[in-house]
Amino acid sequence: MATFISVPLKKSSEVDLVKPLAKFVTASYPAGEEQAEYVRAVEELNKLRRNALGRPLDKHESSLEILLRYYDQLCAVEPKFPFSENQLCLTFTWKDAFDKGSLFGGSVKLALASLGYEKTCVLFNAAALASQIASEQNLDNDEGLKVAAKYYQLASGAFGHIKDTVLSALNREPTMDISPETVGTLSHIMLAQAQEVLFLKATSDKMKDAVIAKLANQAADFYGDAFKQCQYKDNLPKYFYFQEVLPVLAAKHCIMQANAELHQSILAKQKKRFGEEIARLQHAAELVKTVASRYDEYVSVKDLTERINRALTAAKKDNDFIYHDRVPEVKDLEHIGKAALVRATTITPPLSQKFTDLFEKMVPMAVQQSMSIYNQRKAETVNRLVGTMREATNLCNGVLASLNLPAALEDLSGDSIPQSIAEKSRSIVQQGGLQTIEQLIKDLPELLTRNREILDESLKMLDDEETTDNDLRSKFNQRWNRTPSGDLYKPLRAEGANFRNILDKAVQADQVVKDRYSTHCDMITLLCKPENELTAAIPSANPTKTLQGSEVVNVLRSQLAQLDEIKKERETMEGEIKSVTFDMSVTFLTALARDGAISEEQLSVSQLDQLYGTYNQRVQASLRSQEDLLGQVQTSHQEFSSLKQSNTEANQREEVLKKLASAHDSYVEISSNLREGTKFYNDLTEILLKFQNKCSDIVFARKTERDELLKELQQSIAREPSAPSFNVPAYQSTPAGPPGNPTPAPRTVFNPQAQQQPQAKPQPPARPPPPSFTPQAASTTPTNAPPTGPPTGPPTSNPPPVAPPNQAQGPPYPTYQGYPGYFQMPMGYNPYAYGQYNMPYMHVAPGQGGYPGAPPAGQPYPGYPQQPPQQQPYYPQQ
């Protein structure tokens, strides 16, 4: 009875994990020890997959440990890499475990770019190997029984877990071996076998018969459920595997029920219910008899049958001679209780006892994504604060330049260069002057063109692959059942459109900078000249009244000094704001572990408020102080202007000094903008190269998937019949026709006298050797004498009839069943080496119409030579 069901393993194609995962690591993490450690972990993961799936596994616990460790590692690595069709695309190919394939097409397989699919198939193999290990155990000792029960429960739990998760993991129709119906049935089978093992252990331990009966009855119930699962699912019996399993399940159901009745009968005997004992033993005997008659080739019940028969014989003898207890009907017997001592193992990683996460230090993708969004929020906050301060500083400089401050205070003599203008001139010369600006402006178009080319090439790869996919989809229609490229590339196209929009805005910003440079180019050129040329270019004016030492000048200078102090404070504050750091990954990891999800916006906004709330208040205070000081400066400047003598020369000089001050500020801002633009384009180039690599990777993965799918379609087309089914003509069918149909003539010369005799058609003997044939025989006139008696052997010569000179020659025509007979057709040389037949003309049998234009029935066609009434037969007559 020790027949247990095990499940075959799925087979996988080799997949290179190193190249795509290492590429992601090098692109996502800076070069250093951390990156090198993750690359080594990727190599270890690839080696682990080869050990788990790349070779045949022994039916041993160490092999199962390797599979479970690989499954645990997949579960651990899944949240840390962006595995998807449009990001990190890895295509896994697995064959159906039960489908053996055909001569031409091979077995059914499915290729998917889904880590969930890989996890499902690996867990299936772990369950299958657990069932094989359990079935190999020695059930004659206690240790073997414990191990078998453990692994059957593990297999049941694994198959049940696949049933609950396979559809969500794949997002498409799976192969039949991992479909919910199939794995659900396998889970029932494994649980039934685990219960049977516990029944065997209870029997071995000589437990009470009441307990053993309940265990056996529960096992019978489990086997019955498994049998119904196999029987009622439409797809399962199509597999040869399940066709072999069904009889075993039916037999085990009967055997376990018979065991339950046997042990319950012992309990009835102990309670002196002898009639019940006999009824249960009779029922058990009927059950094992059914097994022996129907399923003997699958399960042997010889020992159990002998035991039941011995007990039944003894019980009947005792009851007939001693007790005379009434034997009840089986339907009137009390139902046997059930005791389920097994349960499917819950699948909660890690399942391996020796599991160590290779990527333990790598944060999950949810944390990485949250960190990315947090960094964007942080950058926006920093840029907002720094931008606010820079705008305020530019506004201050613009107001002072419009008032010609501080140059107006320094130019009280009217004929020398103000100190501030001289310092601004030296500053521009030190920064490179016009050459620096013009070189930066010249470099921008080249950087822009390079970025556009990278973006265009990336999107072109997507366009070409999508066009190919659409062409194949229109060619194969529903058979082309992979995700459409148009749907898959939507995130990438949205990202590409965003990059293009960024480039368009950058072009507009570049134009604004160029226009501003054109406006101030002349004054910047003037500031780049030596001091004597600059002095000569500025108009001179001799004021009639000196304001040196006046109170209003002192007030203005004090106010300007306060404004300079505010600017310096802002520069210091800007450095502090940019240097603020905080590791949000710990906060996100804690939230993920506590809640299972990350509320990024709430956590990020709260943390940024703590980090930059104080700086925000200081920036606002700086803006208010500047606004108050500028108001005071404007009031003091009005008073200063009213005291200062005004004339045309003075106005021209003041206007030039304003333009020079404004040109200096514009030079500084333009230089800063151009350097930021150059850095922006260089940074964008790196981002676009990553985008291009992403597009290249997904296009390559789609191409690999496309080639696999095309190969599968070719195999499926090869498995299909080459032509639709058709009805075989009646004359080619082997059964004899109904009575009344004409019987075909034998392959002899048509003999009317022979046809008139109502005798059975003789069976011809083996074909004789072909008659000798010479070319001269074809030119002589045949003389066929009628036979005087039945021939005793093959004819010595049978020259063919002479064909008319204008008669076409050709091969002989066979006589087909269903046609009544033929007259001999004149024939010439026969190219076939095995002789020729004497072919008759069509003889129309009674009830059968002739062809159009045919002579009356029984008459030969006109124009052909008449044949003699009799002729030497070709075959020997019986």
Side-chain angles (χ1 to χ4, degrees), residues 647-701:
N647 54 42
T648 304
E649 293 179 355
N651 291 337
Q652 290 178 353
R653 179 179 177 83
E654 185 173 354
E655 190 66 29
V656 171
L657 293 177
K658 288 180 181 179
K659 290 182 178 180
L660 289 174
S662 179
H664 170 265
D665 295 338
S666 297
Y667 179 88
V668 173
E669 186 175 358
I670 291 171
S671 298
S672 175
N673 291 339
L674 289 175
R675 288 188 174 90
E676 289 178 358
T678 302
K679 183 178 182 301
F680 162 78
Y681 281 124
N682 289 328
D683 294 343
L684 184 61
T685 299
E686 295 182 5
I687 296 174
L688 288 175
L689 287 174
K690 291 182 180 180
F691 176 73
Q692 186 183 37
N693 290 335
K694 188 189 301 185
C695 294
S696 176
D697 290 345
I698 190 173
V699 167
F700 178 77

